[in-house]
């Protein structure tokens, strides 16, 4: 896969679903342009937490920053032991505990298998090490308090098709034996539907750029290919997605439709 030299942006925008309108925000404070970070929403403190990524000079980092919409300002959340600098990692948010989990990633030379947690009250902790991954997906299973990691690329740059589960109660990883596993893929998106206890996975790259929608049944440890009505979104990789539990909808934005990053979707 070839890549163009990325042009990193620090433009902050918001979509208000009540008015269905985009709004560009100022984002006061120091926030350096980057690619490959992760972001989660801390509802208890009404802020977005952004971790890691890669600066304009191609250096990865382990910054933790908070954006507070109420005053349109970025804040440096300084705690020791943030661990390795990384990008292309995954992150998930445990709302009930106020904890962000960060797994895997890439420094520019090394692919990581470390799992870290950031607690709003006490800072960073190191959890059970596992298999190195980058360009994977992760969702937080709030029903069983587990982190579900799917796919990605290992330290040998080989795409993976496995589902790996980390349990909060035991701090242990488990490789799931799944039925009808999809093709190994990277740069896909995933969300968690707590009502049905399923993970929805869309698009990605398996040697082809994909547009399929998959469902992983957590209790049944099985995969299904879904065929929703309507117009299927165009094939893409490196998009983003979020789950709206009220309407039970997966919302997808962005991505690329080629392997050179020359055609980017909005």
């Amino acid at each position: 896969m070839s890549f163009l030299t990325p042009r990193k942006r620090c433009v902050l925008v918001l979509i208000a679903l009540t008015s269905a309108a985009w709004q560009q925000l100022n984002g006061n404070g120091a926030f350096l342009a980057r690619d490959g970070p992760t972001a989660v929403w801390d509802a208890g403190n009404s802020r977005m937490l952004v971790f890691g990524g890669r600066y304009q000079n191609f250096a990865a980092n382990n910054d933790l920053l908070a954006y507070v919409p109420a005053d349109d300002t970025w804040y440096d959340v300084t705690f020791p032991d943030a661990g390795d600098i990384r990008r292309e990692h995954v992150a998930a948010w445990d709302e009930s505990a106020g904890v962000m989990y960060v797994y895997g990633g890439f420094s520019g030379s090394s692919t990581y298998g470390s799992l870290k947690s950031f607690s709003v009250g006490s800072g960073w902790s190191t959890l059970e090490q596992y298999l190195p991954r980058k360009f994977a997906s992760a969702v937080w299973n709030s029903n069983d308090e587990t982190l579900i990691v799917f796919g990605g690329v290992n330290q040998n740059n080989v795409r993976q098709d496995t589902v790996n589960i980390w349990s909060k109660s035991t701090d242990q990883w488990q490789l799931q034996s799944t039925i009808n596993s999809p093709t190994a893929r990277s740069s896909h998106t995933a969300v968690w539907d707590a009502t049905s206890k399923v993970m929805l996975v869309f698009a990605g790259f398996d040697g082809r750029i994909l547009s399929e929608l998959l469902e992983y049944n957590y209790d049944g440890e099985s995969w299904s290919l879904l065929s929703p009505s309507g117009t299927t979104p165009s094939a893409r990789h490196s998009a983003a997605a979020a789950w709206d539990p009220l309407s039970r909808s997966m919302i997808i934005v962005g991505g690329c439709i080629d392997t050179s990053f020359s055609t980017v979707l909005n």
Side-chain angles (χ1 to χ4, degrees):
M1 182 182 296
S2 61
F3 295 91
L4 295 178
T5 301
R7 292 178 294 175
K8 301 171 183 61
R9 306 296 300 276
C10 58
V11 176
L12 187 66
V13 294
L14 174 147
I15 175 70
L17 295 182
T18 53
S19 61
W22 286 102
Q23 176 187 354
Q24 184 167 327
L25 306 173
N26 293 320
N28 302 306
F31 183 82
L32 298 177
R34 67 194 64 205
D35 66 358
T38 51
V40 300
W41 180 253
D42 173 8
N45 293 286
S46 299
R47 62 182 182 174
M48 177 175 67
L49 296 174
V50 175
F51 176 72
R54 180 175 62 168
Y55 296 140
Q56 289 275 27
N57 63 1
F58 298 98
N61 68 81
N62 60 1
D63 296 346
L64 179 61
L65 300 141
Y67 172 73
V68 179
D71 59 9
D72 193 18
T73 300
W74 287 99
Y75 296 91
D76 184 11
V77 184
T78 303
F79 277 91
D81 303 320
D84 299 307
I85 59 173
R86 66 187 75 199
R87 58 183 171 93
E88 320 304 352
H89 49 285
V90 293
W93 179 252
D94 176 0
E95 181 63 41
S96 63
V99 171
M100 176 178 67
Y101 295 99
V102 174
Y103 171 67
F106 185 59
S107 68
S109 59
S110 299
T111 303
Y112 300 126
S114 56
L115 176 64
K116 304 279 290 187
S117 68
F118 175 79
S119 170
V120 171
S122 56
W124 290 98
S125 298
T126 300
L127 302 168
E128 180 72 8
Q129 179 88 7
Y130 198 53
L131 302 171
R133 287 287 185 276
K134 57 188 176 185
F135 300 109
S137 65
V139 298
W140 180 250
N141 172 359
S142 54
N143 307 71
D144 301 283
E145 296 196 313
T146 56
L147 182 70
I148 308 173
V149 176
F150 169 62
V153 176
N154 69 8
Q155 69 275 25
N156 299 316
N157 288 322
V158 177
R159 285 185 291 272
Q160 304 295 299
D161 65 354
T162 54
V163 174
N164 301 280
I165 309 290
W166 175 82
S167 170
K168 180 178 177 179
S169 62
T170 63
D171 188 22
Q172 296 293 316
W173 287 92
Q174 179 180 348
L175 174 65
Q176 297 294 90
S177 58
T178 57
I179 303 168
N180 299 327
S181 294
T183 56
R185 67 194 59 204
S186 60
S187 303
H188 49 284
T189 60
V191 297
W192 176 251
D193 176 5
T195 302
S196 299
K197 289 190 70 174
V198 298
M199 175 177 65
L200 297 173
V201 173
F202 175 69
F205 185 77
D206 71 350
R208 304 163 298 152
I209 301 173
L210 304 169
S211 63
E212 62 189 18
L213 178 64
L214 301 165
E215 177 184 274
Y216 175 72
N217 185 292
Y218 184 83
D219 289 332
E221 298 183 16
S222 62
W223 286 95
S224 300
L225 176 64
L226 302 182
S227 299
S229 61
T231 303
T232 302
S234 57
R236 68 192 67 196
H237 63 90
S238 306
W243 179 252
D244 176 5
L246 296 180
S247 65
R248 298 192 64 215
S249 301
M250 183 181 189
I251 303 170
I252 300 160
V253 63
C256 295
I257 63 173
D258 55 33
T259 58
S260 65
F261 285 79
S262 59
T263 307
V264 181
L265 301 169
N266 58 4

